[in-house]
């Protein structure tokens, strides 16, 4: 079916746009045209269960796109996390859908496009989370698209009788829909920026390195998630443990015959054995020889066509990522009580020797054990890979690095994982954002951070110095945003030294990246008396005016 002209762009009537599969009717909301629940692929159930996505069936007439579409099957958050993270459920099978916010729903606008891929450990989340409302991006001249994709065992189960990475294949199908259809909504398919947080950023890392995704986006933002591939056996253990509890074979055919609610309950029970800090089996993207032909980090570090050399990057993290993983369940206090035992566990998790925790203790002499463990694991799993990725970018496609340092007003959370999302979307005033940020989140910080993301999508430059040997990092925290040089260099030097010793592992527990590229850098001597405790502010490097 050919793409027809826009049927209506009058702001006195609901906007109607014709997609390749049929016409959709959205709504105007404060000058922005919003289309919700547009299917980009057929429902992934019945004969299509655990299979790659296929196009949706075309429809006649005009399909209403006024409400969010069904969300993919997912277990609820635990009570402790549900108080902090909104995760609405919309029932229905047609869950491979997306939403569009646009200021100009017509083919002549040719506006930059941003595609949001949500996080949630590949097991939770959806595009219907109120914090991800795209109105502010459209208000500022960007067409915002947010997508759903299959989660958990439905999207990332590893079976002998089904292709892996179904959820990542969903994301690819959504990007192909954007390429084919977004011009009708006012977007420019040649100016697409993908951005995602946590599992969404990990997904973008895989898409960056995938030959099948080449040409579908021009820029990418990775928030609190590195490119990585999970060990296949780690994912298989999740499926096998579920199969044991369900008393069925560990095959897609057998799992498809299990009641969907029981499958989700079993997945949630098995997943309690793992966490980002503690490790354990988990669902993840795996090398499949097709969509993910090799480890994404290896491909991106080595460059060439598989390294997405023409895609500019914006990379970053929060100052205290680990506090979302430890604080809600009371693990911060328990880790502090465990002391040396917890540090030994962190060494096993990071596969490092005693010199690394000793170095962290020297850098942060007044930090508690939980803070040391949290920062060690965060650096190993997140900051070190993103530093390496920034190092490897060719000069013609620079990388920009940020750190979000504003501490939540919810006691104990600090500048935790996912806290920056309300600021990026300029939705800090919605009640669901306040669940994580607490009352009184600074609107001026949201203005600055949101503007940087918009500028990156429009111009390819978020407004600060590109990454180079001086390691400039933009700090979004208390006061005006400012650039600090090398705020994490002291800790990263410990990992460089660790990798330099004979027999040291060169990979994280989740992936097998290549060794860190060697380059001139400022390795600082350990001088505990001159270094501030953890965390006085986001970083300890030199501030740049």
């Amino acid at each position: 079916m050919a793409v027809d002209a826009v049927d209506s762009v009058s702001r006195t009537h609901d906007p109607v746009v014709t997609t390749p599969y049929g016409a959709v009717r959205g709504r105007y909301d404060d000058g922005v045209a919003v289309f919700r629940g547009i299917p980009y692929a057929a429902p992934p159930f019945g004969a299509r269960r655990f299979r790659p996505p296929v196009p949706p069936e075309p429809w006649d007439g005009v399909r209403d796109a006024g409400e969010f579409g069904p969300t993919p099957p997912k277990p609820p958050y635990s009570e402790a996390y549900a108080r902090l993270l909104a995760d609405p459920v919309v029932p229905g099978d047609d869950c491979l859908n997306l939403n569009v916010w646009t200021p100009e729903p017509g083919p002549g606008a040719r506006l930059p496009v941003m595609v949001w891929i949500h996080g949630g450990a590949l097991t939770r989340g959806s595009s219907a989370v109120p914090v991800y409302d795209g109105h502010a991006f459209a208000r500022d001249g960007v067409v915002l698209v947010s997508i759903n994709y299959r989660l958990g065992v439905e999207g990332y189960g590893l079976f002998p009788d089904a292709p892996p990475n179904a959820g990542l294949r969903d994301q690819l199908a959504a990007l192909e829909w954007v390429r084919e259809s977004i011009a009708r909504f006012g977007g420019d398919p040649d100016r697409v920026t993908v951005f995602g947080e946590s599992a969404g950023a990990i997904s973008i890392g895989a898409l960056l390195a995938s030959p099948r995704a080449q040409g579908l986006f021009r820029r990418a933002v990775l928030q609190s998630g590195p490119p990585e591939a999970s060990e296949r056996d780690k994912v298989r253990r999740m499926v096998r443990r579920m199969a044991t509890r369900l008393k069925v074979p560990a095959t897609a055919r057998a799992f498809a015959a299990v009641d969907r609610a029981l499958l989700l309950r079993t997945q949630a029970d098995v997943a309690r054995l793992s966490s980002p800090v503690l490790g354990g089996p988990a669902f993840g993207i795996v090398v499949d020889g097709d969509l993910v032909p090799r480890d994404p980090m290896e491909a991106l570090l080595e460059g060439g066509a598989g390294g997405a050399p023409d895609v500019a990057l914006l990379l970053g993290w929060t100052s205290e990522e680990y506090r979302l993983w430890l604080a809600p369940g009371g693990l911060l206090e328990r880790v502090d009580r465990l002391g040396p035992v917890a540090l030994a566990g962190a060494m096993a998790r990071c596969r490092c020797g005693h010199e690394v925790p000793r170095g962290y203790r020297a850098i942060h002499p007044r930090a508690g054990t939980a803070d040391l463990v949290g920062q060690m694991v965060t650096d190993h799993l997140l900051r070190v890979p993103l530093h390496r990725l920034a190092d490897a970018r060719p000069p013609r496609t620079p990388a920009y690095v940020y750190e979000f340092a504003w501490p939540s007003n919810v006691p104990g959370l600090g500048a935790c994982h996912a806290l920056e999302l309300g600021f990026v979307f300029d939705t800090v005033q919605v009640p669901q954002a306040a669940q994580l940020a607490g009352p009184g989140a600074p609107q001026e910080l949201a203005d600055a951070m949101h503007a940087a993301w918009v500028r990156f999508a429009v111009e390819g430059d978020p407004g600060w110095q590109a990454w180079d040997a001086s390691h400039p990092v933009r700090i979004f925290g208390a006061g005006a945003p400012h650039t600090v040089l090398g705020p994490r260099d002291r800790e990263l030097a410990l990992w460089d030294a660790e990798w330099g010793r004979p027999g040291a592992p060169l990979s994280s527990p989740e992936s097998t990246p290549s060794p860190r590229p060697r380059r001139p850098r400022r390795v600082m001597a350990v001088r505990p008396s001159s270094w501030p405790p953890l965390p006085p502010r986001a970083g300890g490097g030199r501030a740049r005016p």
Side-chain angles (χ1 to χ4, degrees), residues 274-341:
S274 62
S275 79
V277 173
L278 303 177
F283 292 111
I285 297 165
V286 298
V287 173
D288 59 18
D290 173 25
L291 181 58
V292 187
R294 58 183 301 198
D295 182 273
M297 182 61 96
E298 287 185 352
L300 292 169
L301 291 185
E302 291 182 11
D310 298 321
V311 179
L313 300 181
L314 174 58
L315 315 169
W317 49 77
T318 71
S319 296
E320 299 167 287
E321 299 271 0
Y322 60 94
R323 285 186 170 268
L324 183 65
W325 307 326
L326 295 180
L331 281 175
L332 279 171
E333 295 79 7
R334 284 155 59 186
V335 170
D336 275 334
R337 288 197 302 270
L338 287 171
V341 175

Side-chain angles (χ1 to χ4, degrees), residues 18 37 72 78 108 114 353 358 361 478 502 521 534 538:
T18 302
S78 68
M114 298 186 74
R358 287 173 185 163
R361 176 63 72 189
R521 62 179 294 158
L534 175 74

Side-chain angles (χ1 to χ4, degrees), residues 176-378:
E176 291 171 340
W177 183 97
V178 169
R179 180 74 185 177
E180 185 176 6
S181 308
I182 203 63
R184 293 287 127 184
F185 292 83
D188 184 346
D190 294 322
R191 288 201 292 164
V192 174
T193 299
V194 290
F195 70 126
E197 184 266 348
S198 193
I202 293 171
S203 300
I204 290 171
L207 292 168
L208 274 167
S210 174
R212 291 182 55 187
Q214 300 307 300
L216 294 178
F217 50 89
R218 184 174 176 181
R219 301 180 181 111
V221 185
L222 281 69
Q223 301 173 212
S224 302
E228 67 178 26
S230 294
E231 297 175 359
R232 294 177 72 91
D233 188 58
K234 182 177 180 178
V235 180
R236 282 197 189 98
R237 289 203 304 273
M238 283 291 287
V239 174
R240 289 169 181 163
R241 290 179 181 184
M242 290 182 65
T244 298
R245 294 189 180 217
L246 293 167
K247 297 181 172 57
V248 300
T251 64
R253 181 177 181 180
F255 273 49
V258 176
D259 174 76
R260 203 180 300 174
L262 175 59
L263 201 64
L264 288 177
R265 289 197 300 272
T266 305
Q267 176 184 303
D269 288 342
V270 170
R272 289 195 182 99
L273 302 175
S274 62
S275 79
V277 173
L278 303 177
F283 292 111
I285 297 165
V286 298
V287 173
D288 59 18
D290 173 25
L291 181 58
V292 187
R294 58 183 301 198
D295 182 273
M297 182 61 96
E298 287 185 352
L300 292 169
L301 291 185
E302 291 182 11
D310 298 321
V311 179
L313 300 181
L314 174 58
L315 315 169
W317 49 77
T318 71
S319 296
E320 299 167 287
E321 299 271 0
Y322 60 94
R323 285 186 170 268
L324 183 65
W325 307 326
L326 295 180
L331 281 175
L332 279 171
E333 295 79 7
R334 284 155 59 186
V335 170
D336 275 334
R337 288 197 302 270
L338 287 171
V341 175
L343 280 175
M347 289 167 55
R349 173 78 170 120
C350 299
R351 297 195 287 188
C352 67
H354 290 279
E355 292 306 313
V356 172
R358 287 173 185 163
Y360 275 79
R361 176 63 72 189
I363 295 170
H364 306 292
R366 295 194 295 275
T369 300
D371 284 322
L372 288 180
V373 166
Q375 292 290 8
M376 274 181 58
V377 174
T378 299

Side-chain angles (χ1 to χ4, degrees), residues 489 493 496 521-525:
D489 280 5
D496 277 350
R521 62 179 294 158
R522 307 180 316 282
V523 178
M524 303 180 185

Side-chain angles (χ1 to χ4, degrees), residues 28-284:
Y28 276 110
D29 178 9
D30 193 19
V32 169
V34 186
F35 302 80
R36 299 180 174 92
I38 304 173
Y40 67 83
F45 299 106
R48 293 184 287 269
R49 192 90 175 271
F50 301 110
R51 312 305 300 181
V54 297
E57 290 291 327
W59 58 87
D60 296 324
V62 179
R63 181 184 182 116
D64 186 71
E67 303 292 337
F68 286 113
T71 51
K74 56 187 174 178
Y77 281 116
S78 68
E79 182 179 351
Y81 280 96
R83 290 195 294 266
L84 301 172
L85 302 171
D87 197 12
V89 172
V90 180
D93 285 353
D94 205 357
C95 61
L96 299 185
N97 58 69
L98 52 77
N99 318 296
V100 180
W101 284 260
T102 175
E104 294 291 340
R110 308 293 289 186
L111 297 170
V113 180
M114 298 186 74
V115 179
W116 170 246
I117 302 178
H118 69 80
L122 298 177
T123 58
R124 294 177 175 88
S126 78
S127 65
V129 174
V131 177
Y132 308 155
D133 185 278
H135 184 276
F137 282 104
R139 175 200 67 199
D140 295 334
V142 173
V143 177
L144 191 285
V145 180
S146 60
I147 69 173
N148 286 337
Y149 56 96
R150 279 173 282 182
L151 303 168
V153 70
E154 300 278 357
Y156 297 93
L158 192 55
F159 300 103
D161 55 339
N165 298 323
L168 189 67
R169 295 173 192 273
D170 295 342
Q171 296 171 18
L172 179 68
L175 287 170
E176 291 171 340
W177 183 97
V178 169
R179 180 74 185 177
E180 185 176 6
S181 308
I182 203 63
R184 293 287 127 184
F185 292 83
D188 184 346
D190 294 322
R191 288 201 292 164
V192 174
T193 299
V194 290
F195 70 126
E197 184 266 348
S198 193
I202 293 171
S203 300
I204 290 171
L207 292 168
L208 274 167
S210 174
R212 291 182 55 187
Q214 300 307 300
L216 294 178
F217 50 89
R218 184 174 176 181
R219 301 180 181 111
V221 185
L222 281 69
Q223 301 173 212
S224 302
E228 67 178 26
S230 294
E231 297 175 359
R232 294 177 72 91
D233 188 58
K234 182 177 180 178
V235 180
R236 282 197 189 98
R237 289 203 304 273
M238 283 291 287
V239 174
R240 289 169 181 163
R241 290 179 181 184
M242 290 182 65
T244 298
R245 294 189 180 217
L246 293 167
K247 297 181 172 57
V248 300
T251 64
R253 181 177 181 180
F255 273 49
V258 176
D259 174 76
R260 203 180 300 174
L262 175 59
L263 201 64
L264 288 177
R265 289 197 300 272
T266 305
Q267 176 184 303
D269 288 342
V270 170
R272 289 195 182 99
L273 302 175
S274 62
S275 79
V277 173
L278 303 177
F283 292 111

